[in-house]
Amino acid sequence: MAKEVAGFVKLQIKGGAANPAPPVGPALGSKGVNIMEFCKQFNARTQDKAGKVCPVLITVYKDKSFEFVIKTAPAAVQLLDAAKAKQGAAEPNRQKVGSVTWEQVKAIAEDKMPDLNCFTVESAMKMVAGTARSLGIQVTGERPF
Amino acid sequence: MQYTVYTFEVSPLIPGNDLVIASLSELAFDSFQETESGVEAYVPTQFDTDELQNALLELTIEDVIIHFSKKEMEDINWNAEWESQFDPIDVDNLCRVRAPFHEAKEGVLDLIIEPKMSFGTGHHATTYLVLQKMFELDLKDKEVIDMGSGTAVLAIAAEKLGAKKVWAIDIDEWAYENAIENLERNSCTRIEALLGVEDLLEGKMADVFIANINRNILLAQAKHYENATKSGAPLLLSGFYENDVPALLEAFSAFEWKETRVRDEWTMLFLLRK
């Protein structure tokens, strides 16, 4: 028999950085989940994404067990990463204005397609390009459509 | 660890929230929870500096309106609910890890642990694997280092198995204080709990070295373990998956591989210092 779901918890945590403090602690602890177990698993599964924001959807069951799914980083996070890699780390605490190429926009669009509610890569690319604009990131190269 | 939460009101939420999270993740914030009106962003209080404040005041995102306020979170035991009712763990027929409110089991080593938001109750496969292996080693009159000791469950097992001296080292303050409580609970007298990082290993030489942490920390600290382990002495490593083994064996090349043990995908390596 399928286990009965007690609730869902949606968080965004940097890879390898889950610890029992808030927000993980209060969100899961109140449901009787063993927070330490979640942290150990999350950190082991995201150890290659240290410092990168990983959205995680946690399903908590009535028997206080849990499962979780880690999604790829939000388009905005990936854009900032791509722009930063290109221009090199500038002043870390200032908002950065950099640029990305259309190829990078396409790669991010394809990666985020399942979450973006888009039917074509082209429409997903337009959304990602819009996100880039809001962040002050320029998209360079020849516009492919 | 003490955390400060910044509550951001964001309008419009889409794509505003994603943009805010992306921008904040470039700063010292390490986790986020979306709310109905924006996002809560969490930063270790030690990093909540004037510099961070200034960066936030300068934060502008085109077409997105942002307001924020902050408050310090309580530093309490968030795991108390689970800890108040967990089941004891029997490691084969060797030992039982239990809370003070559980019955002891006749004829096996008794480890009493009240965890308080620290790692190490035996529920995790890695603790289980290391405990199991410790029973196969001769710990009598040995000097043992337990790096990343959490509740100190492994250190306590080491003393009860005859070790003459155990250093239990952890970077986390909750773990350090919890370790001291658990040492008392088990009437341990030969364990020294220490709060800190790998520089505490300087000047110590282990007959048995134990570290159940995670891949990245083990890789980063490999050289320190090497320098703190006697020639021919065992090293027990855990806290990682089977596919992390090649990278670890490379970093720990000063040790000879003896055994790999796996439980629920989690892995323990047993090595000997060359």
Side-chain angles (χ1 to χ4, degrees):
Chain A
M1 202 179 78
K3 286 197 278 190
E4 214 177 328
V5 173
F8 298 97
V9 176
K10 216 174 117 191
L11 298 170
Q12 302 202 33
I13 308 169
K14 279 185 182 168
N19 71 63
V24 176
L28 292 181
S30 59
K31 295 188 161 57
V33 168
N34 183 7
I35 308 169
M36 309 313 289
E37 174 70 32
F38 169 78
C39 292
K40 190 123 181 162
Q41 272 192 44
F42 178 88
N43 290 340
R45 279 168 58 180
T46 57
Q47 58 192 1
D48 291 322
K49 297 174 184 164
K52 301 237 179 357
V53 176
C54 302
V56 55
L57 179 66
I58 309 150
T59 308
V60 179
Y61 297 100
K62 286 257 162 77
D63 65 1
K64 304 195 193 324
S65 64
F66 65 89
E67 280 172 4
F68 64 90
V69 185
I70 296 162
K71 303 195 172 177
T72 54
V77 170
Q78 295 193 36
L79 279 165
L80 279 180
D81 271 346
K84 188 168 55 178
K86 206 170 165 196
Q87 68 166 32
E91 283 195 293
N93 276 338
R94 307 270 160 193
Q95 205 196 342
K96 288 173 210 77
V97 181
S99 66
V100 294
T101 62
W102 278 106
E103 286 78 50
Q104 285 174 311
V105 169
K106 188 174 180 212
I108 295 169
E110 284 171 346
D111 181 63
K112 295 307 288 180
M113 274 283 277
D115 303 334
L116 287 176
N117 269 335
C118 293
F119 291 109
T120 64
V121 177
E122 193 181 303
S123 59
M125 283 171 74
K126 283 179 184 161
M127 278 184 75
V128 173
T131 305
R133 201 176 313 116
S134 306
L135 287 166
I137 295 172
Q138 231 186 357
V139 184
T140 59
E142 202 174 323
R143 192 181 165 94
F145 42 79
Chain B
M1 205 191 303
Q2 180 79 46
Y3 267 74
T4 300
V5 57
Y6 279 79
T7 305
F8 287 82
E9 306 280 327
V10 180
S11 172
L13 282 175
I14 299 171
N17 262 359
D18 269 1
L19 300 171
V20 170
I21 289 172
S23 304
L24 297 180
S25 72
E26 298 286 302
L27 305 172
F29 293 91
D30 67 20
S31 34
F32 308 90
Q33 185 162 27
E34 290 183 63
T35 65
E36 279 175 8
S37 56
V39 60
E40 287 174 348
Y42 295 81
V43 59
T45 303
Q46 54 174 320
F47 300 131
D48 183 24
T49 56
D50 289 344
E51 200 188 351
L52 181 76
Q53 299 272 345
N54 292 336
L56 289 176
L57 290 172
E58 284 175 23
L59 181 68
T60 50
I61 297 169
E62 201 174 274
D63 301 329
V64 179
I65 303 162
I66 305 166
H67 294 287
F68 67 87
S69 58
K70 73 161 181 172
K71 84 168 189 223
E72 245 178 63
M73 297 295 296
E74 295 171 279
D75 191 18
I76 60 169
N77 181 4
W78 302 103
N79 210 28
E81 171 84 15
W82 180 82
E83 289 165 8
S84 67
Q85 45 166 28
F86 69 89
D87 293 326
I89 290 285
D90 291 329
V91 178
D92 300 339
N93 224 353
L94 304 168
C95 66
R96 164 170 285 189
V97 187
R98 65 174 181 98
F101 54 80
H102 296 129
E103 299 273 325
K105 187 179 172 190
E106 290 269 334
V108 304
L109 196 71
D110 191 27
L111 303 171
I112 312 164
I113 300 294
E114 203 177 321
K116 292 214 185 134
M117 215 156 65
S118 301
F119 289 105
T121 51
H123 290 79
H124 201 272
T126 58
T127 314
Y128 193 103
L129 287 167
V130 176
L131 280 171
Q132 200 180 39
K133 187 68 198 174
M134 286 171 72
F135 278 84
E136 296 169 23
L137 302 176
D138 176 18
L139 293 176
K140 186 118 185 61
D141 295 326
K142 297 288 165 64
E143 298 199 330
V144 179
I145 293 173
D146 175 9
M147 195 69 187
S149 48
T151 59
V153 60
L154 302 176
I156 292 166
E159 173 169 331
K160 292 195 177 183
L161 289 170
K164 76 169 173 206
K165 171 82 194 177
V166 186
W167 291 283
I169 303 173
D170 205 295
I171 186 178
D172 183 72
E173 222 160 294
W174 275 88
Y176 168 71
E177 279 166 27
N178 184 230
I180 291 172
E181 291 169 5
N182 287 325
L183 300 187
E184 277 174 28
R185 211 163 263 132
N186 290 274
S187 314
C188 288
T189 55
R190 306 193 298 277
I191 303 174
E192 191 181 341
L194 299 167
L195 175 64
V197 289
E198 63 272 22
D199 53 357
L200 288 171
L201 293 173
E202 217 163 294
K204 299 183 178 63
M205 282 305 259
D207 298 307
V208 178
F209 198 115
I210 301 169
N212 176 8
I213 311 179
N214 64 48
R215 185 199 69 182
N216 289 355
I217 292 178
L218 294 176
L219 290 176
Q221 299 188 341
K223 278 279 166 244
H224 295 273
Y225 298 4
E226 195 179 306
N227 296 335
T229 311
K230 286 183 192 165
S231 178
L235 170 69
L236 271 60
L237 296 177
S238 195
F240 45 85
Y241 294 132
E242 209 172 355
N243 54 12
D244 297 322
V245 168
L248 286 159
L249 289 180
E250 203 183 312
F252 285 89
S253 58
F255 294 80
E256 186 191 347
W257 176 87
K258 281 294 179 189
E259 189 190 351
T260 302
R261 218 175 265 190
V262 181
R263 183 182 167 90
D264 307 335
E265 294 176 55
W266 293 90
T267 303
M268 183 212 64
L269 277 174
F270 175 53
L271 313 171
L272 289 182
R273 180 77 169 94
K274 287 177 187 162

